[in-house]
């Protein structure tokens, strides 16, 4: 009968809802996870993630820092961190991260040819993310920085729902079109109960190397205005500077290769602001 069919449907719905979200399980050996995200691609998120990881280690030499490249389709951490090769396996069949500048790194880029495209459907991507999260021997880390892919899709949801994330950092340029997507990114993390630590305004100003005239190529203070709208903090401003791009392209990020530069100091300040806003890590 129709009523018994409706009742069966209600029961099924209730069972599905009672399961809820996947139970979050910490990554073994990792105290705190910080995700670096952006709504839109091309805003300098990976460059920011790399330099934040290096800055976290530079600010406190007692801290162990790892960097996970969760951008399956466009992994850039291997090039930026000057790392190549396949990870070794431990006796427990876990992958050992590759290490440079004191940072333990894991990326899809270590598991395939540099120029090979990843032509996968969503389920395969999710499986790869799960492996990068769970089948890596991170040792003991104080911070694991995860470089997220652009957008608000499966990878963001999978990471947010499967592991406890201490906080998210949203990177955007001051351009209106980038700010629209940054707004969506911040709202997504709020919906999955990940604290948004603040926003980073990237490529905020360009200073002519000859005459020192400053130009706001992508607009001025757009990220600051968005932060006010969302009730969030600005963690810092990163200028549009050729050195930042050149050093990452050469595998010698600016925090390591030019630690006294204004760009490096900006990243070091952002790392301090992140630590200040994180909850107290478990002992």
């Amino acid at each position: 009968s129709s009523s018994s069919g409706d009742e069966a449907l209600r029961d099924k719905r209730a069972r599905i809802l009672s399961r809820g979200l996947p139970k979050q399980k910490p990554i073994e050996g990792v105290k705190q996870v910080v995700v670096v995200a952006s709504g839109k691609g091309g805003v300098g998120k990976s460059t920011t993630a790399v330099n934040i990881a290096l800055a976290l280690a530079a600010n406190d030499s007692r801290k162990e820092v790892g960097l996970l490249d969760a951008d399956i389709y466009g992994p850039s951490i291997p090039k930026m961190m000057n790392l190549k090769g396949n990870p070794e396996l431990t006796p427990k069949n876990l992958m050992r991260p590759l290490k440079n500048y004191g940072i333990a790194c894991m990326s899809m880029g270590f598991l395939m040819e540099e120029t090979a495209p990843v032509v996968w459907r969503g389920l395969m991507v999710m499986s790869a993310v799960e492996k990068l999260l769970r089948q890596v021997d991170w040792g003991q880390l104080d911070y694991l920085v995860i470089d997220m892919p652009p957008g608000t899709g499966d990878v963001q949801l999978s990471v947010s729902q499967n592991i406890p994330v201490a906080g998210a950092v949203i990177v955007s340029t001051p351009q209106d079109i980038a700010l629209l997507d940054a707004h969506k990114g911040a709202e997504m993390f709020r919906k999955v109960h990940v604290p948004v630590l603040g926003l980073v305004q990237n490529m905020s100003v360009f200073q002519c190397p000859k005459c020192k005239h400053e130009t706001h190529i992508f607009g001025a203070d757009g990220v600051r205005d968005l932060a006010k709208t969302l009730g969030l903090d600005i963690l810092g401003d990163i200028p549009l500077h050729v050195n930042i791009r050149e050093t990452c392209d050469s595998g010698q990020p600016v925090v390591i290769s030019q630690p006294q530069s204004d760009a490096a100091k900006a990243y070091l300040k952002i790392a301090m602001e992140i630590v200040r806003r994180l909850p107290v890590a478990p002992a």
Side-chain angles (χ1 to χ4, degrees), residues 65-87:
V65 181
L67 181 59
L68 172 59
D69 189 348
D71 194 344
I72 304 298
Y73 292 115
S76 46
I77 299 305
K79 184 172 177 62
M80 291 184 176
M81 289 296 286
N82 197 24
L83 286 166
K84 271 185 184 171
N86 298 113

Side-chain angles (χ1 to χ4, degrees), residues 58-191:
N59 281 340
D60 189 343
S61 59
R62 297 166 301 171
K63 301 296 185 189
E64 293 291 333
V65 181
L67 181 59
L68 172 59
D69 189 348
D71 194 344
I72 304 298
Y73 292 115
S76 46
I77 299 305
K79 184 172 177 62
M80 291 184 176
M81 289 296 286
N82 197 24
L83 286 166
K84 271 185 184 171
N86 298 113
E88 294 176 0
L89 291 178
T90 69
K92 291 185 178 176
N93 223 27
L94 298 174
M95 293 181 284
R96 277 204 180 97
L98 276 62
K99 210 162 187 181
N100 198 11
Y101 309 124
I103 308 293
C105 302
M106 182 50 66
S107 169
M108 198 69 206
F110 299 147
L111 307 176
M112 56 196 307
E113 291 295 318
E114 192 174 6
T115 55
V118 176
V119 190
W120 288 352
R121 292 189 186 279
L123 283 172
M124 290 175 74
V125 172
M126 305 299 282
S127 172
V129 170
E130 181 72 15
K131 283 184 172 64
L132 291 173
L133 288 173
R134 300 285 176 206
Q135 294 182 22
V136 176
D137 180 5
W138 289 106
Q140 297 298 313
L141 293 182
D142 294 284
Y143 307 114
L144 176 62
V145 177
I146 302 185
D147 178 24
M148 300 284 255
T152 54
D154 288 346
V155 173
Q156 286 81 354
L157 285 172
S158 183
V159 170
S160 305
Q161 292 173 356
N162 280 289
I163 60 171
V165 177
V169 174
I170 308 288
V171 180
S172 182
T173 62
Q175 189 181 5
D176 286 352
I177 204 77
L179 294 167
L180 283 171
D181 288 347
H183 194 153
K184 289 176 194 166
E187 293 294 357
M188 185 216 74
F189 283 115
R190 284 177 165 172
K191 278 192 174 165

Side-chain angles (χ1 to χ4, degrees), residues 1-15:
S1 75
S2 167
S3 62
S4 63
D6 288 348
E7 199 171 325
L9 191 61
R10 274 198 301 274
D11 282 350
K12 187 177 178 185
R13 234 182 241 143
R15 280 200 309 277

Side-chain angles (χ1 to χ4, degrees), residues 176 179 199 201 220-231 234:
D176 286 352
L179 294 167
L199 279 67
Q201 181 161 258
D221 290 334
V223 180
R224 291 182 182 282
D225 296 339
L226 176 60
K228 279 183 199 158
T229 303
L230 292 168
I234 284 280

Side-chain angles (χ1 to χ4, degrees), residues 18-38:
S18 69
R19 289 180 207 153
L21 294 172
K23 186 154 175 59
Q24 288 184 333
K25 185 181 162 202
I27 301 172
E28 194 172 335
V30 176
K31 287 185 181 175
Q32 290 185 306
V33 173
V34 176
V35 299
V36 178
S38 69

